[in-house]
Amino acid sequence: MIAAKDNPPNFTPEEYFVWESQQLEKHELINGQVYAMTGGSKNHSLLAARLITLFTTHLEGSGCETATSDLRVNIAQTSNYTYPDVSVTCDERDKTTTQYITYPCLIVEVLSKSTEAYDRGGKFRMYQNNPVLKDYLLVSSTSIEIDLYHKNDAGQWMIINYGAGDTIELKSINLSFPIEQVYRGLTLTPEA
């Protein structure tokens, strides 16, 4: 969730890590500029937590790791760092880093009105640089709707739209689940 651009000078990744460790909020680093992260709604938090729990339980003992929005993702072959809502890595190379991962196979963004265009556009274009990423899940926080961007075996990205009654299939982690499993009990109202 990118909110507003701060106006510090361009940062190297090393300068960014030092600077951000002294900040109260999280910031993404994109092309040397930092962007403050906004807080999310109650539904945003609940949806992310449910997906993290679902993935962690499913992947127990597999060697894969599920991370919250507190873990940065380095955009492969760049100096850009983002904070997705949920990420999963099964790549051994990510076990050697402590402040970020670079090779997630699955990334989840819970959508809000202020971030949806960026999550679907610019952020997804950056994530496509990752050679290991297979599934990019965009989760509505206002209606029972999930869009899955899946990279097939030919390397092409396909979009699959899920709604009420559908079963989500995440080939990246070999998991299928009914969409209602993550939306149960939520009060869904369109954003103003």
CSV table of all heavy atoms in Angstrom, one decimal, residues 124-177:
chain,number,residue,atom,x,y,z
A,124,PHE,N,2.5,-4.8,-10.3
A,124,PHE,CA,2.5,-6.1,-10.9
A,124,PHE,C,3.6,-6.2,-12.0
A,124,PHE,O,4.3,-7.2,-12.2
A,124,PHE,CB,1.1,-6.5,-11.5
A,124,PHE,CG,1.1,-7.8,-12.2
A,124,PHE,CD1,1.5,-8.9,-11.7
A,124,PHE,CD2,0.7,-7.8,-13.6
A,124,PHE,CE1,1.5,-10.1,-12.3
A,124,PHE,CE2,0.6,-9.0,-14.2
A,124,PHE,CZ,1.1,-10.2,-13.6
A,125,ARG,N,3.8,-5.1,-12.8
A,125,ARG,CA,4.8,-5.1,-13.8
A,125,ARG,C,6.2,-5.3,-13.1
A,125,ARG,O,7.0,-6.0,-13.7
A,125,ARG,CB,4.8,-3.8,-14.6
A,125,ARG,CG,3.7,-3.8,-15.6
A,125,ARG,CD,3.8,-2.6,-16.6
A,125,ARG,NE,3.5,-1.3,-16.0
A,125,ARG,CZ,2.3,-0.8,-15.7
A,125,ARG,NH1,1.3,-1.5,-16.1
A,125,ARG,NH2,2.2,0.3,-15.2
A,126,MET,N,6.4,-4.7,-12.0
A,126,MET,CA,7.7,-5.0,-11.3
A,126,MET,C,7.8,-6.4,-10.9
A,126,MET,O,8.9,-7.0,-11.1
A,126,MET,CB,7.8,-4.0,-10.0
A,126,MET,CG,8.2,-2.6,-10.4
A,126,MET,SD,8.7,-1.7,-8.9
A,126,MET,CE,7.2,-1.7,-7.9
A,127,TYR,N,6.8,-6.9,-10.3
A,127,TYR,CA,6.8,-8.3,-9.8
A,127,TYR,C,7.0,-9.3,-10.9
A,127,TYR,O,7.6,-10.4,-10.7
A,127,TYR,CB,5.5,-8.7,-9.0
A,127,TYR,CG,5.4,-8.1,-7.7
A,127,TYR,CD1,4.1,-7.7,-7.2
A,127,TYR,CD2,6.5,-7.9,-6.8
A,127,TYR,CE1,4.0,-7.2,-5.9
A,127,TYR,CE2,6.3,-7.3,-5.6
A,127,TYR,CZ,5.1,-7.0,-5.1
A,127,TYR,OH,4.9,-6.5,-3.9
A,128,GLN,N,6.6,-9.0,-12.1
A,128,GLN,CA,6.8,-9.9,-13.3
A,128,GLN,C,8.3,-10.2,-13.6
A,128,GLN,O,8.6,-11.1,-14.2
A,128,GLN,CB,6.1,-9.3,-14.5
A,128,GLN,CG,4.6,-9.4,-14.5
A,128,GLN,CD,4.0,-8.8,-15.7
A,128,GLN,OE1,4.5,-7.8,-16.3
A,128,GLN,NE2,2.8,-9.3,-16.1
A,129,ASN,N,9.2,-9.3,-13.1
A,129,ASN,CA,10.6,-9.5,-13.3
A,129,ASN,C,11.1,-10.7,-12.5
A,129,ASN,O,12.2,-11.2,-12.8
A,129,ASN,CB,11.4,-8.3,-12.9
A,129,ASN,CG,11.2,-7.1,-13.8
A,129,ASN,OD1,11.0,-7.3,-15.0
A,129,ASN,ND2,11.1,-5.9,-13.3
A,130,ASN,N,10.4,-11.2,-11.6
A,130,ASN,CA,10.8,-12.3,-10.7
A,130,ASN,C,10.7,-13.6,-11.5
A,130,ASN,O,9.5,-14.0,-11.9
A,130,ASN,CB,9.9,-12.3,-9.5
A,130,ASN,CG,10.3,-13.4,-8.5
A,130,ASN,OD1,10.8,-14.5,-9.0
A,130,ASN,ND2,10.1,-13.2,-7.3
A,131,PRO,N,11.8,-14.3,-11.8
A,131,PRO,CA,11.7,-15.5,-12.5
A,131,PRO,C,11.0,-16.7,-11.8
A,131,PRO,O,10.6,-17.7,-12.4
A,131,PRO,CB,13.1,-15.9,-12.8
A,131,PRO,CG,13.9,-15.2,-11.7
A,131,PRO,CD,13.1,-14.0,-11.3
A,132,VAL,N,10.8,-16.6,-10.5
A,132,VAL,CA,10.3,-17.7,-9.7
A,132,VAL,C,8.8,-17.4,-9.4
A,132,VAL,O,8.0,-18.4,-9.2
A,132,VAL,CB,11.1,-17.8,-8.4
A,132,VAL,CG1,10.5,-18.9,-7.5
A,132,VAL,CG2,12.5,-18.1,-8.7
A,133,LEU,N,8.3,-16.2,-9.5
A,133,LEU,CA,6.9,-15.9,-9.1
A,133,LEU,C,6.0,-16.6,-10.1
A,133,LEU,O,6.1,-16.5,-11.3
A,133,LEU,CB,6.7,-14.4,-9.2
A,133,LEU,CG,5.3,-13.9,-8.8
A,133,LEU,CD1,5.0,-14.2,-7.3
A,133,LEU,CD2,5.1,-12.4,-9.1
A,134,LYS,N,5.0,-17.4,-9.5
A,134,LYS,CA,4.0,-18.1,-10.3
A,134,LYS,C,2.6,-17.5,-10.1
A,134,LYS,O,1.8,-17.6,-11.0
A,134,LYS,CB,4.0,-19.6,-9.9
A,134,LYS,CG,5.3,-20.3,-10.3
A,134,LYS,CD,5.3,-20.6,-11.7
A,134,LYS,CE,6.6,-21.4,-12.1
A,134,LYS,NZ,6.9,-21.3,-13.5
A,135,ASP,N,2.3,-17.1,-8.9
A,135,ASP,CA,1.0,-16.6,-8.6
A,135,ASP,C,1.0,-15.2,-7.9
A,135,ASP,O,1.8,-15.0,-6.9
A,135,ASP,CB,0.3,-17.6,-7.6
A,135,ASP,CG,-0.1,-18.9,-8.3
A,135,ASP,OD1,-0.5,-18.9,-9.5
A,135,ASP,OD2,-0.1,-20.0,-7.7
A,136,TYR,N,0.2,-14.3,-8.4
A,136,TYR,CA,0.0,-13.0,-7.8
A,136,TYR,C,-1.5,-12.9,-7.5
A,136,TYR,O,-2.3,-12.8,-8.5
A,136,TYR,CB,0.5,-12.0,-8.8
A,136,TYR,CG,0.4,-10.5,-8.3
A,136,TYR,CD1,1.0,-10.1,-7.1
A,136,TYR,CD2,-0.2,-9.6,-9.1
A,136,TYR,CE1,0.9,-8.8,-6.7
A,136,TYR,CE2,-0.3,-8.2,-8.7
A,136,TYR,CZ,0.3,-7.9,-7.5
A,136,TYR,OH,0.2,-6.5,-7.1
A,137,LEU,N,-1.9,-12.8,-6.3
A,137,LEU,CA,-3.3,-12.9,-5.8
A,137,LEU,C,-3.7,-11.5,-5.4
A,137,LEU,O,-3.1,-10.9,-4.5
A,137,LEU,CB,-3.4,-13.9,-4.7
A,137,LEU,CG,-4.7,-14.5,-4.4
A,137,LEU,CD1,-5.2,-15.3,-5.6
A,137,LEU,CD2,-4.6,-15.4,-3.2
A,138,LEU,N,-4.8,-11.0,-6.0
A,138,LEU,CA,-5.3,-9.7,-5.6
A,138,LEU,C,-6.7,-9.9,-5.0
A,138,LEU,O,-7.6,-10.4,-5.6
A,138,LEU,CB,-5.4,-8.8,-6.9
A,138,LEU,CG,-4.1,-8.4,-7.5
A,138,LEU,CD1,-4.4,-7.6,-8.8
A,138,LEU,CD2,-3.2,-7.7,-6.6
A,139,VAL,N,-6.8,-9.5,-3.7
A,139,VAL,CA,-7.9,-9.9,-2.9
A,139,VAL,C,-8.7,-8.6,-2.6
A,139,VAL,O,-8.2,-7.7,-2.0
A,139,VAL,CB,-7.5,-10.5,-1.6
A,139,VAL,CG1,-8.6,-10.9,-0.7
A,139,VAL,CG2,-6.6,-11.8,-1.9
A,140,SER,N,-10.0,-8.6,-3.0
A,140,SER,CA,-10.9,-7.5,-2.6
A,140,SER,C,-11.2,-7.5,-1.1
A,140,SER,O,-11.4,-8.5,-0.6
A,140,SER,CB,-12.2,-7.5,-3.4
A,140,SER,OG,-13.1,-6.6,-3.0
A,141,SER,N,-11.2,-6.3,-0.5
A,141,SER,CA,-11.6,-6.2,0.9
A,141,SER,C,-13.0,-5.7,1.0
A,141,SER,O,-13.5,-5.5,2.1
A,141,SER,CB,-10.6,-5.3,1.6
A,141,SER,OG,-10.6,-4.0,1.1
A,142,THR,N,-13.7,-5.5,-0.1
A,142,THR,CA,-15.1,-4.9,-0.1
A,142,THR,C,-16.1,-5.9,-0.7
A,142,THR,O,-17.3,-5.6,-0.6
A,142,THR,CB,-15.1,-3.6,-0.8
A,142,THR,OG1,-14.7,-3.7,-2.1
A,142,THR,CG2,-14.3,-2.6,-0.1
A,143,SER,N,-15.7,-6.9,-1.4
A,143,SER,CA,-16.6,-7.9,-2.0
A,143,SER,C,-15.9,-9.2,-2.1
A,143,SER,O,-14.7,-9.3,-2.1
A,143,SER,CB,-17.2,-7.4,-3.3
A,143,SER,OG,-16.1,-7.2,-4.2
A,144,ILE,N,-16.7,-10.3,-2.3
A,144,ILE,CA,-16.1,-11.6,-2.4
A,144,ILE,C,-15.6,-11.7,-3.9
A,144,ILE,O,-16.2,-12.3,-4.8
A,144,ILE,CB,-17.1,-12.7,-2.1
A,144,ILE,CG1,-17.6,-12.6,-0.6
A,144,ILE,CG2,-16.5,-14.1,-2.3
A,144,ILE,CD1,-18.7,-13.5,-0.2
A,145,GLU,N,-14.4,-11.2,-4.1
A,145,GLU,CA,-13.7,-11.2,-5.4
A,145,GLU,C,-12.2,-11.4,-5.2
A,145,GLU,O,-11.6,-10.6,-4.4
A,145,GLU,CB,-14.0,-9.9,-6.1
A,145,GLU,CG,-15.4,-9.7,-6.5
A,145,GLU,CD,-15.7,-8.4,-7.2
A,145,GLU,OE1,-14.7,-7.7,-7.5
A,145,GLU,OE2,-16.8,-8.0,-7.4
A,146,ILE,N,-11.6,-12.3,-5.9
A,146,ILE,CA,-10.2,-12.5,-5.9
A,146,ILE,C,-9.8,-12.7,-7.3
A,146,ILE,O,-10.4,-13.5,-8.1
A,146,ILE,CB,-9.8,-13.7,-5.0
A,146,ILE,CG1,-10.1,-13.5,-3.5
A,146,ILE,CG2,-8.3,-14.1,-5.2
A,146,ILE,CD1,-9.7,-14.6,-2.6
A,147,ASP,N,-8.7,-12.0,-7.7
A,147,ASP,CA,-8.2,-12.1,-9.1
A,147,ASP,C,-6.8,-12.8,-8.9
A,147,ASP,O,-6.0,-12.3,-8.1
A,147,ASP,CB,-8.0,-10.8,-9.8
A,147,ASP,CG,-9.4,-10.1,-10.1
A,147,ASP,OD1,-10.4,-10.9,-10.3
A,147,ASP,OD2,-9.4,-8.9,-10.2
A,148,LEU,N,-6.6,-13.8,-9.7
A,148,LEU,CA,-5.3,-14.5,-9.7
A,148,LEU,C,-4.6,-14.3,-11.0
A,148,LEU,O,-5.1,-14.6,-12.1
A,148,LEU,CB,-5.5,-16.0,-9.5
A,148,LEU,CG,-4.3,-16.9,-9.6
A,148,LEU,CD1,-3.2,-16.6,-8.6
A,148,LEU,CD2,-4.7,-18.4,-9.6
A,149,TYR,N,-3.4,-13.7,-10.9
A,149,TYR,CA,-2.5,-13.7,-12.1
A,149,TYR,C,-1.6,-14.9,-11.9
A,149,TYR,O,-0.8,-15.0,-11.0
A,149,TYR,CB,-1.7,-12.4,-12.1
A,149,TYR,CG,-2.5,-11.1,-12.3
A,149,TYR,CD1,-3.5,-10.7,-11.3
A,149,TYR,CD2,-2.4,-10.4,-13.4
A,149,TYR,CE1,-4.2,-9.5,-11.5
A,149,TYR,CE2,-3.2,-9.2,-13.6
A,149,TYR,CZ,-4.1,-8.8,-12.7
A,149,TYR,OH,-4.8,-7.7,-12.9
A,150,HIS,N,-1.7,-15.8,-12.9
A,150,HIS,CA,-0.9,-17.0,-12.8
A,150,HIS,C,0.0,-17.1,-14.0
A,150,HIS,O,-0.5,-17.0,-15.2
A,150,HIS,CB,-1.8,-18.3,-12.7
A,150,HIS,CG,-1.1,-19.5,-12.8
A,150,HIS,ND1,-0.3,-20.0,-11.8
A,150,HIS,CD2,-0.9,-20.4,-13.9
A,150,HIS,CE1,0.2,-21.2,-12.2
A,150,HIS,NE2,-0.1,-21.4,-13.4
A,151,LYS,N,1.3,-17.4,-13.8
A,151,LYS,CA,2.2,-17.6,-14.9
A,151,LYS,C,2.2,-19.1,-15.3
A,151,LYS,O,2.6,-20.0,-14.5
A,151,LYS,CB,3.6,-17.2,-14.5
A,151,LYS,CG,4.6,-17.2,-15.7
A,151,LYS,CD,5.9,-16.5,-15.5
A,151,LYS,CE,6.6,-16.9,-14.3
A,151,LYS,NZ,8.0,-16.3,-14.2
A,152,ASN,N,1.8,-19.4,-16.5
A,152,ASN,CA,1.7,-20.8,-16.9
A,152,ASN,C,3.1,-21.3,-17.3
A,152,ASN,O,4.1,-20.6,-17.3
A,152,ASN,CB,0.7,-20.9,-18.1
A,152,ASN,CG,1.1,-20.2,-19.3
A,152,ASN,OD1,2.2,-19.9,-19.6
A,152,ASN,ND2,0.1,-19.9,-20.2
A,153,ASP,N,3.1,-22.6,-17.7
A,153,ASP,CA,4.4,-23.2,-18.0
A,153,ASP,C,5.1,-22.6,-19.2
A,153,ASP,O,6.3,-22.7,-19.4
A,153,ASP,CB,4.2,-24.7,-18.3
A,153,ASP,CG,3.8,-25.4,-17.0
A,153,ASP,OD1,4.1,-24.9,-15.9
A,153,ASP,OD2,3.2,-26.5,-17.1
A,154,ALA,N,4.4,-21.9,-20.1
A,154,ALA,CA,4.9,-21.2,-21.3
A,154,ALA,C,5.5,-19.8,-20.9
A,154,ALA,O,6.0,-19.1,-21.7
A,154,ALA,CB,3.9,-21.1,-22.4
A,155,GLY,N,5.3,-19.4,-19.6
A,155,GLY,CA,5.8,-18.1,-19.1
A,155,GLY,C,4.8,-17.0,-19.4
A,155,GLY,O,5.2,-15.8,-19.2
A,156,GLN,N,3.6,-17.3,-19.8
A,156,GLN,CA,2.5,-16.3,-20.0
A,156,GLN,C,1.7,-16.1,-18.8
A,156,GLN,O,1.3,-17.0,-18.1
A,156,GLN,CB,1.7,-16.7,-21.2
A,156,GLN,CG,2.4,-16.9,-22.5
A,156,GLN,CD,1.6,-17.6,-23.5
A,156,GLN,OE1,0.8,-18.6,-23.2
A,156,GLN,NE2,1.7,-17.3,-24.8
A,157,TRP,N,1.3,-14.8,-18.5
A,157,TRP,CA,0.5,-14.5,-17.4
A,157,TRP,C,-1.0,-14.6,-17.8
A,157,TRP,O,-1.4,-14.0,-18.8
A,157,TRP,CB,0.8,-13.1,-16.8
A,157,TRP,CG,2.1,-13.1,-16.1
A,157,TRP,CD1,3.3,-12.8,-16.6
A,157,TRP,CD2,2.3,-13.5,-14.7
A,157,TRP,NE1,4.3,-12.9,-15.6
A,157,TRP,CE2,3.7,-13.3,-14.5
A,157,TRP,CE3,1.5,-13.9,-13.7
A,157,TRP,CZ2,4.3,-13.6,-13.2
A,157,TRP,CZ3,2.0,-14.2,-12.5
A,157,TRP,CH2,3.4,-14.0,-12.3
A,158,MET,N,-1.8,-15.4,-17.1
A,158,MET,CA,-3.2,-15.5,-17.3
A,158,MET,C,-3.9,-14.9,-16.1
A,158,MET,O,-3.4,-15.0,-14.9
A,158,MET,CB,-3.6,-17.0,-17.4
A,158,MET,CG,-2.8,-17.7,-18.5
A,158,MET,SD,-3.0,-19.5,-18.4
A,158,MET,CE,-4.7,-19.8,-18.0
A,159,ILE,N,-5.1,-14.3,-16.3
A,159,ILE,CA,-5.9,-13.8,-15.2
A,159,ILE,C,-7.1,-14.6,-15.0
A,159,ILE,O,-7.8,-14.9,-16.0
A,159,ILE,CB,-6.3,-12.3,-15.5
A,159,ILE,CG1,-5.1,-11.4,-15.7
A,159,ILE,CG2,-7.2,-11.8,-14.3
A,159,ILE,CD1,-5.5,-10.0,-16.2
A,160,ILE,N,-7.3,-15.1,-13.8
A,160,ILE,CA,-8.4,-15.9,-13.4
A,160,ILE,C,-9.2,-15.1,-12.4
A,160,ILE,O,-8.7,-14.7,-11.3
A,160,ILE,CB,-8.0,-17.3,-12.9
A,160,ILE,CG1,-7.1,-18.0,-13.9
A,160,ILE,CG2,-9.3,-18.1,-12.5
A,160,ILE,CD1,-6.4,-19.2,-13.3
A,161,ASN,N,-10.5,-14.8,-12.6
A,161,ASN,CA,-11.4,-14.1,-11.7
A,161,ASN,C,-12.2,-15.1,-10.9
A,161,ASN,O,-12.9,-15.9,-11.5
A,161,ASN,CB,-12.3,-13.1,-12.5
A,161,ASN,CG,-11.5,-12.2,-13.4
A,161,ASN,OD1,-11.5,-12.4,-14.6
A,161,ASN,ND2,-10.7,-11.3,-12.9
A,162,TYR,N,-12.2,-14.9,-9.6
A,162,TYR,CA,-12.9,-15.8,-8.7
A,162,TYR,C,-14.0,-15.0,-8.0
A,162,TYR,O,-13.7,-13.8,-7.6
A,162,TYR,CB,-12.0,-16.5,-7.7
A,162,TYR,CG,-11.0,-17.4,-8.2
A,162,TYR,CD1,-9.7,-17.1,-8.4
A,162,TYR,CD2,-11.4,-18.7,-8.6
A,162,TYR,CE1,-8.7,-18.0,-8.8
A,162,TYR,CE2,-10.5,-19.6,-9.1
A,162,TYR,CZ,-9.2,-19.3,-9.2
A,162,TYR,OH,-8.2,-20.2,-9.7
A,163,GLY,N,-15.1,-15.6,-7.7
A,163,GLY,CA,-16.2,-14.9,-7.0
A,163,GLY,C,-16.9,-16.0,-6.1
A,163,GLY,O,-16.4,-17.1,-5.9
A,164,ALA,N,-18.0,-15.5,-5.5
A,164,ALA,CA,-18.7,-16.4,-4.5
A,164,ALA,C,-18.9,-17.8,-5.1
A,164,ALA,O,-19.3,-17.9,-6.3
A,164,ALA,CB,-20.0,-15.8,-4.1
A,165,GLY,N,-18.7,-18.8,-4.3
A,165,GLY,CA,-18.9,-20.2,-4.8
A,165,GLY,C,-17.7,-20.8,-5.5
A,165,GLY,O,-17.7,-22.0,-5.7
A,166,ASP,N,-16.7,-20.1,-5.8
A,166,ASP,CA,-15.5,-20.6,-6.5
A,166,ASP,C,-14.5,-21.2,-5.5
A,166,ASP,O,-14.4,-20.8,-4.4
A,166,ASP,CB,-14.9,-19.5,-7.3
A,166,ASP,CG,-15.7,-19.1,-8.5
A,166,ASP,OD1,-16.6,-19.8,-9.0
A,166,ASP,OD2,-15.5,-17.9,-9.0
A,167,THR,N,-13.6,-22.0,-6.1
A,167,THR,CA,-12.5,-22.6,-5.4
A,167,THR,C,-11.2,-22.0,-6.0
A,167,THR,O,-11.0,-22.1,-7.2
A,167,THR,CB,-12.5,-24.1,-5.5
A,167,THR,OG1,-13.7,-24.7,-4.9
A,167,THR,CG2,-11.3,-24.7,-4.8
A,168,ILE,N,-10.4,-21.4,-5.2
A,168,ILE,CA,-9.2,-20.8,-5.6
A,168,ILE,C,-8.1,-21.9,-5.7
A,168,ILE,O,-8.0,-22.8,-4.9
A,168,ILE,CB,-8.6,-19.8,-4.5
A,168,ILE,CG1,-9.7,-18.8,-4.1
A,168,ILE,CG2,-7.4,-19.1,-5.0
A,168,ILE,CD1,-10.2,-17.9,-5.1
A,169,GLU,N,-7.4,-21.9,-6.8
A,169,GLU,CA,-6.3,-22.9,-7.0
A,169,GLU,C,-5.0,-22.2,-7.2
A,169,GLU,O,-4.8,-21.4,-8.1
A,169,GLU,CB,-6.6,-23.7,-8.3
A,169,GLU,CG,-5.6,-24.8,-8.5
A,169,GLU,CD,-5.8,-25.7,-9.7
A,169,GLU,OE1,-6.8,-25.4,-10.4
A,169,GLU,OE2,-5.0,-26.6,-9.9
A,170,LEU,N,-4.1,-22.4,-6.2
A,170,LEU,CA,-2.8,-21.8,-6.2
A,170,LEU,C,-1.8,-22.9,-6.6
A,170,LEU,O,-1.4,-23.7,-5.7
A,170,LEU,CB,-2.4,-21.2,-4.9
A,170,LEU,CG,-3.4,-20.0,-4.5
A,170,LEU,CD1,-3.0,-19.5,-3.1
A,170,LEU,CD2,-3.3,-18.9,-5.5
A,171,LYS,N,-1.4,-23.0,-7.8
A,171,LYS,CA,-0.4,-24.0,-8.2
A,171,LYS,C,0.9,-23.8,-7.7
A,171,LYS,O,1.7,-24.8,-7.5
A,171,LYS,CB,-0.4,-24.1,-9.8
A,171,LYS,CG,-1.7,-24.6,-10.4
A,171,LYS,CD,-1.6,-24.7,-11.9
A,171,LYS,CE,-3.0,-25.1,-12.4
A,171,LYS,NZ,-3.0,-25.2,-13.9
A,172,SER,N,1.3,-22.6,-7.3
A,172,SER,CA,2.6,-22.3,-6.8
A,172,SER,C,2.9,-23.0,-5.5
A,172,SER,O,4.0,-23.4,-5.2
A,172,SER,CB,2.8,-20.8,-6.6
A,172,SER,OG,1.8,-20.3,-5.7
A,173,ILE,N,1.8,-23.2,-4.7
A,173,ILE,CA,2.0,-23.9,-3.4
A,173,ILE,C,1.1,-25.2,-3.3
A,173,ILE,O,0.9,-25.7,-2.2
A,173,ILE,CB,1.8,-23.0,-2.2
A,173,ILE,CG1,0.4,-22.4,-2.2
A,173,ILE,CG2,2.9,-21.9,-2.2
A,173,ILE,CD1,0.1,-21.6,-0.9
A,174,ASN,N,0.5,-25.6,-4.5
A,174,ASN,CA,-0.3,-26.8,-4.5
A,174,ASN,C,-1.4,-26.7,-3.5
A,174,ASN,O,-1.6,-27.6,-2.7
A,174,ASN,CB,0.6,-28.0,-4.3
A,174,ASN,CG,-0.2,-29.3,-4.7
A,174,ASN,OD1,-1.1,-29.3,-5.6
A,174,ASN,ND2,0.2,-30.4,-4.1
A,175,LEU,N,-2.2,-25.6,-3.5
A,175,LEU,CA,-3.3,-25.4,-2.5
A,175,LEU,C,-4.6,-25.0,-3.3
A,175,LEU,O,-4.5,-24.1,-4.1
A,175,LEU,CB,-2.9,-24.4,-1.5
A,175,LEU,CG,-4.0,-23.9,-0.5
A,175,LEU,CD1,-4.3,-25.1,0.4
A,175,LEU,CD2,-3.5,-22.7,0.3
A,176,SER,N,-5.7,-25.6,-2.9
A,176,SER,CA,-7.0,-25.2,-3.4
A,176,SER,C,-7.9,-25.0,-2.1
A,176,SER,O,-7.8,-25.7,-1.1
A,176,SER,CB,-7.7,-26.3,-4.2
A,176,SER,OG,-6.9,-26.5,-5.4
A,177,PHE,N,-8.7,-23.9,-2.2
A,177,PHE,CA,-9.6,-23.6,-1.0
A,177,PHE,C,-10.8,-22.8,-1.5
A,177,PHE,O,-10.7,-22.1,-2.5
A,177,PHE,CB,-8.8,-22.9,0.1
A,177,PHE,CG,-8.3,-21.5,-0.4
A,177,PHE,CD1,-9.0,-20.4,-0.2
A,177,PHE,CD2,-7.0,-21.4,-1.0
A,177,PHE,CE1,-8.5,-19.1,-0.6
A,177,PHE,CE2,-6.5,-20.2,-1.4
A,177,PHE,CZ,-7.3,-19.1,-1.2
